[in-house]
Amino acid sequence: MDMTTPFSDLTTPALLLQRDRLVRNAHDALARAHHLGVMLRPHFKTAKSVEVAQLMLGQNMDRMAVSTLPEITMLFAAGIRNIRYTSPFDPTKLNGLQDMLRAGLELEILVDDRSAIEAISNQADRLRVSVGLIVEVDVDGYRAGLPAQGDVLSSIAKSITDAPGISFVGLYSFAGQTYRLADRKDRQALIERHRATLVSFASALEKQGLPCATLGIGSSPVLADAVHLDGLTEVCAGVYCFQDLTQAGIGAAQIDDLAVSVLATVTQRKSDDGRIFIDAGGLALSQDRSTRGQSVDQGYGLVCDALTGRPVGDGDIIVARTSQEHGVLMRRDGRSAPAELFPIGRRVRILPNHVCMMAAAYPAYTVIDGDKSAERWERATGWTL
């Protein structure tokens, strides 16, 4: 926290973070993880802010997940030692991390390929550092991971224990298909399939002398919807702290839970065709259209009042089109937005389809409490150290 700015003086577009919603979401997630009997490993890929990390972790300031090197640097400087890198990992990244590894960084890396394991081992051994490897299991076909076959997993786990510079930590699966299921019972069934698969494989590995210290599952809907997670040790998630329209669209969140938005200004109006322009376009909002396949298509974001954060009018005004620095406001059904609601100079908030994508372009959050003031929380941006 390094400065405050009156809300009315903010330059748009600005990335807003509503403190009360953030705090509530973080508290609820920690309580939910405790109820499920697992540790919460917050994912830093959207947060990218020490202040947000502190809220996400609560009293458990010891473990996070990341997707970039600058995130590791920010967290390690804040005293967090156990950090999991969940994105595709190029072993040359260890070059920039070697000093932190020697100073106490406990780095874990997701793997699902024997050649990648060998490359990480060779690089770690050359640098005289050690990293932990977690084998990712593909349960639902959403993204990466080894096929859910016991003989393949045991062979991979054994190859890790026999190689220098690396150690076998456990198993992980990402329940990504939960983001595509609108029925809660369907999400619960999928989560249970992930849980049962991981527990079964861990039991088989244990019998072979390959214990899993970590048995984790990922995705924010897991926190909201899991019936139980018996046998697992942790949930890795990050969107839950901010929420977005995609999460609301499947019923895993409510609109009033969304903590991040972009503040924009109405800058132009076309009287001949009713188009209304704001100064936030494809770069400021991202061009993510992840609600397009849902029952309610939110365009490039839902338009809300700047002060209250509630949807404008009947709740059907969206950013219908974008260019690089312009957004066009329209009704969801394609009709013109009411001109009287959007005079030149009016400020609006745009709620994100996918908060990770929307936030990516910004170096800092503007943290708001109503319309009183706005603090600036720096974010870890970019990919290189």
Side-chain angles (χ1 to χ4, degrees), residues 184-379:
R184 191 183 190 204
K185 290 184 178 179
D186 290 341
R187 295 197 298 274
Q188 290 174 332
L190 179 60
I191 292 165
E192 172 57 20
R193 181 152 65 92
H194 276 261
R195 186 205 67 81
T197 299
L198 289 171
V199 170
S200 175
F201 286 150
S203 177
L205 291 175
E206 178 84 31
K207 293 176 182 177
Q208 298 175 50
L210 298 167
C212 296
T214 293
L215 209 55
I217 184 173
S219 95
S220 287
V222 170
L223 273 177
D225 298 325
V227 176
H228 72 90
L229 295 175
D230 296 354
L232 303 188
T233 63
E234 65 178 41
V235 172
C236 179
V239 171
Y240 69 86
C241 209
F242 310 100
Q243 299 295 9
D244 54 29
L245 293 170
T246 299
Q247 295 295 299
I250 64 170
Q254 303 298 316
I255 293 294
D256 287 345
D257 295 329
L258 273 62
V260 168
S261 58
V262 166
L263 184 69
T265 303
V266 176
T267 53
Q268 296 171 276
R269 294 194 301 178
K270 290 276 288 179
S271 58
D272 56 341
D273 60 15
R275 282 182 295 164
I276 297 172
F277 294 84
I278 57 172
D279 61 350
L283 294 182
L285 304 175
S286 90
Q287 291 191 310
D288 188 277
R289 290 293 314 278
S290 50
T291 62
R292 180 162 38 192
Q294 297 183 339
S295 59
V296 178
D297 185 349
Q298 303 285 15
Y300 294 96
L302 181 63
V303 180
C304 297
D305 181 76
L307 296 181
T308 67
R310 297 189 178 92
V312 173
D314 295 329
D316 65 342
I317 309 299
I318 61 173
V319 181
R321 297 199 297 272
T322 64
S323 54
Q324 181 169 320
E325 303 295 350
H326 295 81
V328 178
L329 308 188
M330 300 182 71
R331 292 186 186 272
R332 192 175 288 111
D333 62 8
R335 291 179 295 147
S336 299
E340 66 275 12
L341 292 182
F342 299 103
I344 298 295
R346 179 178 181 177
R347 298 287 184 90
V348 293
R349 288 195 218 177
I350 311 300
L351 298 182
N353 283 322
H354 186 176
V355 64
C356 312
M357 296 292 191
M358 175 184 271
Y362 295 87
Y365 296 106
T366 296
V367 185
I368 59 172
D369 288 296
D371 61 348
K372 295 178 181 178
S373 65
E375 288 183 318
R376 180 181 174 90
W377 288 0
E378 299 296 327
R379 303 180 74 249

Side-chain angles (χ1 to χ4, degrees), residues 55 69 83 112 114 122 126 154 184 242 266 301 303 311 313 316 380:
L55 290 170
L69 297 182
I83 300 176
D112 62 1
R114 196 180 300 274
N122 290 340
R126 185 182 70 80
S154 60
R184 191 183 190 204
F242 310 100
V266 176
V303 180
D316 65 342

Side-chain angles (χ1 to χ4, degrees), residues 51-171:
E51 291 86 354
V52 176
Q54 290 168 342
L55 290 170
M56 296 174 88
L57 288 164
Q59 300 300 313
N60 305 314
M61 288 289 289
D62 62 351
R63 66 183 67 192
M64 291 288 282
V66 302
S67 60
T68 67
L69 297 182
E71 294 170 31
I72 295 177
T73 301
M74 176 177 274
L75 290 175
F76 189 72
I80 298 169
R81 295 293 180 261
N82 186 271
I83 300 176
R84 181 177 303 159
Y85 197 98
T86 63
S87 301
F89 191 83
D90 173 8
T92 62
K93 288 181 170 68
L94 292 176
N95 296 340
L97 299 174
Q98 56 183 307
D99 289 344
M100 284 183 279
L101 287 164
R102 296 187 183 109
L105 171 63
E106 301 169 8
L107 179 66
E108 298 177 356
I109 302 168
L110 292 185
V111 294
D112 62 1
D113 180 87
R114 196 180 300 274
S115 60
I117 291 168
E118 181 180 356
I120 294 170
S121 170
N122 290 340
Q123 186 72 352
D125 188 47
R126 185 182 70 80
L127 296 173
R128 299 294 186 263
V129 298
S130 180
V131 298
L133 300 188
I134 297 182
V135 177
E136 184 169 5
V137 182
D138 178 17
V139 176
D140 61 19
Y142 183 81
R143 200 159 61 190
L146 282 171
Q149 300 172 3
D151 55 343
V152 176
L153 285 173
S154 60
S155 175
I156 289 289
K158 185 65 166 59
S159 72
I160 295 172
T161 62
D162 292 340
I166 57 177
S167 60
F168 175 62
V169 177
L171 303 178

